[in-house]
Amino acid sequence: HEVAVRAFEAAGDADAYPDAGSVWQPTKLYYTITSRERRSEINEAYAKMGLAPPFSAEIGFQGRGDPGLSPAIERVTSVIDVGPYVAVWIAGMRAHACQMNPDLDALFDIPKERAAALFGQEEFILVRDVTGRIRDGCTLETDLFTGVGRTSRS
């Protein structure tokens, strides 16, 4: 987190790393989160399936995952539908022990359709936006590239 934020800040600063080549200012920086409300919903769904909650004060998917420690849904600025890719996400989480407590691998052994319903939305908080656009603050982004200039490739 700290390295990513510093890199975002320094990327457009020609004096930060003068020997690194041309500067390029990224236009948006997001924090990826799972809101307190979403964590609670996931925990409730697991309880209904007769399974231990993945987000708890003890040990969860990624260490301590008590829903109360996560930001409230009101802070979420962007929600992306990733339902069609949940199986790939689960495979990636299982492949990278640093991303998930390997002792909890069985938490992903739920029906495919339940996994898509529970983990099919990614939540983000937009923390830096240098696009110059005016955001209304009420509408959730559903595309992380909103406001980012696109260039065509020849």
Side-chain angles (χ1 to χ4, degrees), residues 30 62 69 152 154:
Y30 292 90
Q62 296 176 307
L69 298 177
S152 61
S154 329

Side-chain angles (χ1 to χ4, degrees), residues 1-10 17 29:
H1 160 81
E2 291 175 7
V3 171
V5 171
R6 282 197 310 266
F8 181 90
E9 306 274 335
Y17 297 96
L29 176 66

Side-chain angles (χ1 to χ4, degrees), residues 1-103:
H1 160 81
E2 291 175 7
V3 171
V5 171
R6 282 197 310 266
F8 181 90
E9 306 274 335
D13 180 358
D15 296 328
Y17 297 96
D19 297 332
S22 301
V23 297
W24 179 78
Q25 177 61 59
T27 54
K28 295 166 85 175
L29 176 66
Y30 292 90
Y31 295 160
T32 180
I33 67 152
T34 305
S35 68
R36 146 182 341 156
E37 292 79 3
R38 190 79 187 123
R39 286 179 182 218
S40 293
E41 288 173 16
I42 292 168
N43 280 351
E44 288 171 19
Y46 268 75
K48 286 179 184 174
M49 290 186 285
L51 301 170
F55 299 108
S56 70
E58 277 71 52
I59 193 80
F61 277 140
Q62 296 176 307
R64 190 160 177 229
D66 183 355
L69 298 177
S70 195
I73 192 76
E74 293 82 19
R75 297 213 29 226
V76 172
T77 60
S78 311
V79 178
I80 307 300
D81 175 16
V82 296
Y85 311 101
V86 167
V88 176
W89 173 75
I90 289 172
M93 292 291 281
R94 285 181 158 154
H96 298 283
C98 66
Q99 293 296 310
M100 186 184 85
N101 180 339
D103 296 335

